[in-house]
Amino acid sequence: GNFDVVNKKLAHRSLVGVFEVKDLAWLQAHVPLTLFSLNLRQWLQQSNLHGRLVNGKVSLSDRSPGYQVSAMCQDVRVHFAPGWQPLKQIAGRLLFSGDSMQLNVDKAQLLGNSVAHLSVRLPDFSHPVLHVSGVVSGDLVAAQAVVSRSPMPLGQRLNQLVLSGPYAMSLGLQV
């Protein structure tokens, strides 16, 4: 870590560490979640995280945003919000900074649909609006299952359609 002294006074403190997590479920039992905001703690407890983090870095500082945690995700599973299906087999980069989260997904699965180049952002846990953009592809039957099992009102209307065949689409959501 670093401790900067200016005019014989402690001006800045920072600490940096590296880590690897073999199973994210371990975090809830072993990391003192009281270090994080109440909103972030609540989200972490309901998110049902599983998978591995490698090449992780933790930065703690007395300057804004206070802390940053970044890592590469391998075979991660996360349930972002109640009512939505979990995103599985995530490979990408995760960043927690202050009261926000950014997940850049290279590839993942959502109920049999391939997800690529996905960006998932929660800019502020105190106002939880999830921003999602990326490319989704697969079979239309699998896509219909995602929408019909979501909290979107459109899901029930799509159940009346008979869909088949491959699809690919750009995705942009705010939930």
Side-chain angles (χ1 to χ4, degrees):
N2 294 323
F3 295 91
D4 298 330
V5 178
V6 176
N7 295 331
K8 297 183 183 179
K9 293 184 181 180
L10 189 59
H12 174 66
R13 296 175 295 263
S14 66
L15 181 64
V16 177
V18 295
F19 68 93
E20 179 174 321
V21 177
K22 294 183 193 272
D23 186 356
L24 285 168
W26 175 89
L27 287 176
Q28 291 180 351
H30 296 89
V31 171
L33 294 179
T34 55
L35 294 172
F36 306 121
S37 72
L38 176 62
N39 295 315
L40 177 54
R41 288 193 313 261
Q42 290 172 338
W43 181 82
L44 285 169
Q45 290 168 346
Q46 70 86 34
S47 64
N48 195 21
L49 288 169
H50 291 280
R52 293 182 307 279
L53 296 179
V54 297
N55 300 328
K57 180 180 176 183
V58 177
S59 300
L60 303 172
S61 174
D62 58 1
R63 293 184 181 163
S64 183
Y67 75 92
Q68 285 192 330
V69 178
S70 64
M72 297 300 296
C73 303
Q74 294 180 345
D75 198 24
V76 168
R77 175 181 185 226
V78 63
H79 188 191
F80 285 104
W84 292 89
Q85 296 299 311
L87 193 59
K88 299 178 181 180
Q89 299 173 349
I90 299 170
R93 180 140 199 90
L94 176 66
L95 172 67
F96 284 96
S97 181
D99 213 15
S100 68
M101 184 220 46
Q102 172 83 34
L103 175 61
N104 295 316
V105 176
D106 297 323
K107 64 178 184 171
Q109 291 287 316
L110 180 63
L111 280 179
N113 295 276
S114 294
V115 178
H117 311 296
L118 184 72
S119 172
V120 179
R121 292 183 307 116
L122 275 168
D124 186 352
F125 282 104
S126 62
H127 303 287
V129 176
L130 187 66
H131 300 264
V132 181
S133 61
V135 177
V136 182
S137 62
D139 183 76
L140 282 169
V141 173
Q144 186 176 21
V146 170
V147 176
S148 69
R149 293 179 185 175
S150 78
M152 294 189 304
L154 175 66
Q156 299 304 316
R157 292 186 205 131
L158 285 180
N159 282 340
Q160 299 169 9
L161 299 174
V162 177
L163 302 175
S164 66
Y167 80 97
M169 69 174 197
S170 294
L171 177 68
L173 294 172
Q174 285 190 12
V175 181

